[in-house]
Amino acid sequence: MNTARPVPDAAGVRAGAATLRALVEPRLAGVLPAEAAHFLARLERYGPDVIELLRPLYGHRPDFEAWVEAILATAADAFLARPAELKALDARREADPTWYQHHTMIGAVCYVDRFAGTLEGIRQRIPYFRELGLTYLHLMPLFRTPDGPNDGGYAVSSYREVNPALGTMDDLRRLAADLRASGISLALDFVFNHTANDHAWARKARAGDPRYQAHYYMFPDRTTPDAYEATLREIFPEEDPGSFTFVEDVGQWVWTTFHRYQWDLNYSNPEVFQRMLGELLFLANIGAEVLRLDAVAFIWKRLGTNCENLPEAHRIIQAFNALVRIAAPALVFKSEAIVHPDEVVRYFGTGEWAGRECELSYNPLLMVELWEALATRHTHLLTYSMQRRFAIPPNCAWVNYVRSHDDIGWGFADEDAEALHIHAFHHRQYLNRFYTGQEPGSFAAGHGFQWNPRTLDMRISGTTASLAGLEKALAAGDEQAVEYAIGRILLMFGIVLSMGGIPLLYLGDEVGTLNDYSYRDDPQRARDSRWMHRPRADEAQLARRNQPGTVEHRIFNALRRMIALRKQQPAFGAAAHTGVIETGNPHSFVFVKSSADSRVLVAANFTEREQHVATGGFGDILSLNPSTDLLSERAVDLSQDLTLPPYGLLWIAVPPQASGAAA
Ligand code: GLC
């Protein structure tokens, strides 16, 4: 590495300097000229961004320039190691850079071991994924973890080794290729806020090596931890209270936001950024097309703050993204930020970086407000928040979901609730009581998670079906209640499939899987009720999807049909406009999706009673009469009030001659 050559500032590079090219060109000597030219063009386009983003974080260091060279060399080396078929994918994605916004995108997520045993088992399920119509599959963390508790894989001992019980890195590479050949993009986790306490770096830190201790936040006594903890939130107050853990080997306190065995990485150390870039690009070269950036909110710390969502965290992700655009442009990022809705949306990037941070983000707000509306039978909060908070940068997409492997925390904005005269604290208490079955008339069979006696807060565990009422209805043998439960499940699926973005199905939900209480017998899991909604797939239950008259058949086939219909409607893509309508009926949720070539009005009833919705406020949609409900294939007369049956959902398509009308 030539450390004498100065790295120009970003403005200098933008002005046309070819210095960046000079930095990496020698490394590309063995590459085909056309490929090298592509790489260099990307380097010249995004390299200045990398410098601009990293200078405020690390520019004060005397070796900054040499360090930037090393960063770019890491990107160049990853490009050199990138398999030819992934470079071909890069070219296809560069020609269609917003591929993930397409209305044909259908996502799902599962645990490898719980859904299919091993990576080979997942491969054998590809026909099932195709049957459902999936184009995106997120496999929960599948890397080597410590023996014993590992937070469902979120304590990573090595980013370059697959958990041996699941298979090998080669199996994973082959699986990625087989999925791709079946039109399914693989999404993997990048658990980059922390490593497991037995990662090689952590082991060296424990052995007393100061270089590796500087990979983490380690303190000789409680003074600094106490100062930080004065303003920190506890994530797992029941299991691992506080945010620091005493490491006996070295007599020091280490930062552990999550569990005691998950050590937070110290990104103020440039070596950590560089090494994690290497791990990130390694995963890109395995064939991951989406990286789920785990726990994005926590990656930067500053005393006196809650150490969440700090501006530096955004810069780091933006810099990673710019480096991915250089070395592996087929890859996109999905943000996992379970924080205030104002903060969630910032992970798409803001200002000049809008659309240049995470292309995708979970939409926890839509998820919690769907459940909130089901409990209250009122859609005020859902309508109000979605009118104000659904819009995102034009090249981005929400990942809309009903359930995930995690708990449900009532993360709506207090100010949205207050604007509607809802007392946020009391409302959360009510929702917790409702979903743990403690409110009179509650249909839900959920359980509390991480009760915090200081804040009186907790979150909710349970599967979609159990929370939606199916567990209680089946136990009671109440056919009407079963109808309602299925109605609720399909209503929520119908909204996440149509609202715009990638719908993400938590596998098991497509056949109405109920809570699994066996985790209580496993001492390693008994204190984490999230295992209730992480059951093993039941082959007999999956097979019942083909048996008419069963609950599984009803849910699976209705869902599959909605998926097939979605794939025919460009208006359901992420780039289409979403106009949420205040109808005056407080139990219905109505929105219009419009793209250049199609338009669909979606209307949903969140109650067990028939609802009538006046169409007067639907604007020029009225002139699109007569229209057809895609789901029932019936004609709908928009000049009359809309009639919505209990938990009814309509997808009303605009007649072809009217397509293209302004929203
Ligand atoms: C994310 C994961 C969650 C995990 C945490 C720590 O929030 O979804 O399951 O406990 O990160 O890695």
Side-chain angles (χ1 to χ4, degrees):
M1 192 193 317
N2 179 358
T3 50
R5 204 184 308 113
V7 175
D9 63 17
V13 176
R14 276 187 216 289
T19 314
L20 283 175
R21 177 185 281 262
L23 287 178
V24 298
E25 218 160 21
R27 302 184 100 83
L28 298 172
V31 174
L32 292 174
E35 260 185 24
H38 271 127
F39 178 81
L40 290 168
R42 300 200 299 251
L43 181 71
E44 284 185 359
R45 177 156 173 212
Y46 296 104
D49 291 346
V50 174
I51 298 170
E52 187 178 330
L53 286 161
L54 295 178
R55 191 181 289 280
L57 301 180
Y58 307 117
H60 59 281
R61 307 190 56 114
D63 57 352
F64 177 68
E65 276 145 20
W67 179 76
V68 168
E69 277 194 43
I71 291 291
L72 295 173
T74 303
D77 290 344
F79 170 75
L80 289 173
R82 192 154 169 84
E85 65 271 20
L86 293 178
K87 286 183 180 156
L89 182 68
D90 289 338
R92 292 206 297 282
R93 297 306 196 209
E94 285 186 288
D96 178 20
T98 53
W99 57 276
Y100 46 81
Q101 291 190 321
H102 211 261
H103 61 283
T104 56
M105 289 296 296
I106 305 288
V109 50
C110 66
Y111 287 91
V112 174
D113 57 340
R114 309 208 55 94
F115 193 66
T118 59
L119 291 173
E120 172 55 23
I122 293 284
R123 208 179 60 78
Q124 288 174 15
R125 293 241 200 245
I126 290 177
Y128 182 78
F129 302 144
R130 290 177 61 115
E131 188 184 333
L132 262 173
L134 302 186
T135 63
Y136 164 122
L137 180 68
H138 170 206
L139 296 179
M140 294 291 291
L142 40 73
F143 304 100
R144 193 161 68 72
T145 59
D147 299 332
N150 55 50
D151 194 18
Y154 282 100
V156 176
S157 310
S158 164
Y159 299 93
R160 300 191 185 216
E161 284 167 75
V162 167
N163 174 347
L166 306 178
T168 64
M169 255 316 157
D170 279 337
D171 293 339
L172 184 58
R173 282 192 190 94
R174 270 195 297 273
L175 176 62
D178 289 345
L179 286 169
R180 201 174 320 113
S182 302
I184 301 173
S185 297
L186 176 65
L188 292 178
D189 277 87
F190 186 46
V191 187
F192 74 130
N193 174 68
H194 43 266
T195 72
N197 62 352
D198 73 341
H199 187 285
W201 306 338
R203 279 191 272 116
K204 288 181 188 156
R206 281 169 187 284
D209 185 334
R211 176 173 168 201
Y212 288 92
Q213 291 185 346
H215 280 45
Y216 302 95
Y217 292 93
M218 300 191 91
F219 306 98
D221 56 45
R222 283 289 315 181
T223 317
T224 312
D226 284 344
Y228 274 111
E229 267 182 3
T231 51
L232 293 180
R233 173 165 78 107
E234 286 179 293
I235 308 298
F236 293 126
E238 273 183 7
E239 283 178 277
D240 279 310
S243 299
F244 296 85
T245 299
F246 188 66
V247 185
E248 295 203 351
D249 315 19
V250 280
Q252 299 208 46
W253 292 86
V254 68
W255 199 309
T256 52
T257 298
F258 294 93
H259 295 96
R260 62 199 175 282
Y261 49 82
Q262 289 164 304
W263 290 16
D264 287 43
L265 286 162
N266 180 354
Y267 280 90
S268 71
N269 175 356
E271 189 174 2
V272 168
F273 179 93
Q274 183 182 352
R275 297 194 111 163
M276 290 304 283
L277 173 67
E279 305 310 283
L280 189 171
L281 294 176
F282 176 84
L283 296 178
N285 284 353
I286 292 295
E289 298 182 36
V290 176
L291 277 190
R292 172 192 182 277
L293 300 194
D294 181 61
V296 286
F298 299 92
I299 63 169
W300 196 270
K301 331 280 187 192
R302 190 183 314 129
L303 197 61
T305 73
N306 63 358
C307 299
E308 294 183 41
N309 310 308
L310 292 172
E312 292 85 348
H314 290 281
R315 274 187 178 270
I316 285 177
I317 301 166
Q318 288 156 6
F320 277 150
N321 193 315
L323 286 153
V324 164
R325 304 275 72 75
I326 295 171
L331 182 74
V332 296
F333 288 167
K334 175 172 69 166
S335 151
E336 189 250 349
I338 309 302
V339 289
H340 188 286
D342 289 347
E343 300 292 351
V344 171
V345 81
R346 293 203 173 110
Y347 290 92
F348 288 119
T350 51
E352 65 167 311
W353 301 100
R356 298 158 76 193
E357 190 169 330
C358 294
E359 292 81 357
L360 306 173
S361 165
Y362 283 99
N363 191 351
L365 185 61
L366 176 62
M367 186 274 289
V368 303
E369 291 188 344
L370 289 174
W371 288 107
E372 188 271 343
L374 278 184
T376 60
R377 277 78 164 179
H378 279 88
T379 50
H380 294 127
L381 190 56
L382 177 64
T383 298
Y384 182 92
S385 301
M386 290 303 132
Q387 280 184 329
R388 286 157 186 79
R389 299 182 182 277
F390 197 75
I392 53 177
N395 66 320
C396 293
W398 286 117
V399 173
N400 295 318
Y401 62 111
V402 171
R403 274 310 274 119
S404 75
H405 69 289
D406 275 329
D407 44 287
I408 302 177
W410 303 108
F412 53 79
D414 287 13
E415 52 278 27
D416 291 5
E418 277 152 25
L420 301 169
H421 308 289
I422 297 169
H423 190 290
F425 175 80
H426 289 145
H427 200 51
R428 290 194 178 98
Q429 299 280 307
Y430 163 79
L431 292 167
N432 280 333
R433 287 196 307 275
F434 186 92
Y435 280 104
T436 51
Q438 297 172 62
E439 274 293 312
S442 165
F443 49 73
H447 285 252
F449 178 66
Q450 301 298 323
W451 159 252
N452 187 334
R454 277 184 289 136
T455 59
L456 303 182
D457 196 19
M458 68 173 186
R459 284 112 67 187
I460 297 294
S461 291
T463 66
T464 295
S466 289
L467 294 177
L470 193 59
E471 184 171 328
K472 283 189 178 172
L474 290 172
D478 180 339
E479 276 179 31
Q480 179 63 74
V482 170
E483 284 304 304
Y484 288 153
I486 293 177
R488 292 182 194 107
I489 295 168
L490 295 177
L491 185 76
M492 289 192 289
F493 283 154
I495 291 172
V496 300
L497 278 163
S498 58
M499 212 165 156
I502 302 181
L504 184 70
L505 195 70
Y506 186 59
L507 286 174
D509 282 357
E510 75 284 11
V511 287
T513 301
L514 303 179
N515 288 343
D516 169 10
Y517 298 101
S518 66
Y519 77 99
R520 292 171 174 162
D521 306 327
D522 175 348
Q524 275 183 26
R525 294 184 168 150
R527 298 184 61 206
D528 186 341
S529 66
R530 292 177 300 175
W531 289 100
M532 171 183 304
H533 53 258
R534 300 170 179 176
R536 287 188 187 283
D538 171 350
E539 292 306 325
Q541 188 190 19
L542 289 180
R544 284 198 292 277
R545 74 186 187 280
N546 298 318
Q547 202 180 314
T550 61
V551 165
E552 290 82 359
H553 181 264
R554 288 187 58 189
I555 299 177
F556 187 89
N557 285 286
L559 175 64
R560 216 175 134 214
R561 177 141 187 282
M562 287 197 278
I563 289 173
L565 285 171
R566 164 177 158 118
K567 289 188 171 188
Q568 293 165 17
Q569 293 297 327
F572 288 157
H577 179 262
T578 307
V580 178
I581 299 175
E582 175 59 75
T583 66
N585 175 318
H587 314 290
S588 67
F589 182 53
V590 177
F591 56 89
V592 181
K593 293 291 304 174
S594 340
S595 69
D597 40 14
S598 83
R599 191 138 77 142
V600 184
L601 174 88
V602 176
N605 173 0
F606 276 76
T607 71
E608 298 85 341
R609 295 178 310 283
E610 186 173 280
Q611 296 294 330
H612 299 274
V613 178
T615 56
F618 289 8
D620 73 336
I621 281 278
L622 284 179
S623 66
L624 304 174
N625 240 350
S627 308
T628 310
D629 171 29
L630 297 168
L631 296 167
S632 65
E633 295 176 356
R634 290 208 194 103
V636 180
D637 181 357
L638 288 172
S639 66
Q640 311 280 319
D641 282 1
L642 274 185
T643 300
L644 296 173
Y647 294 117
L649 176 72
L650 305 179
W651 282 358
I652 304 174
V654 167
Q657 69 271 22
S659 291

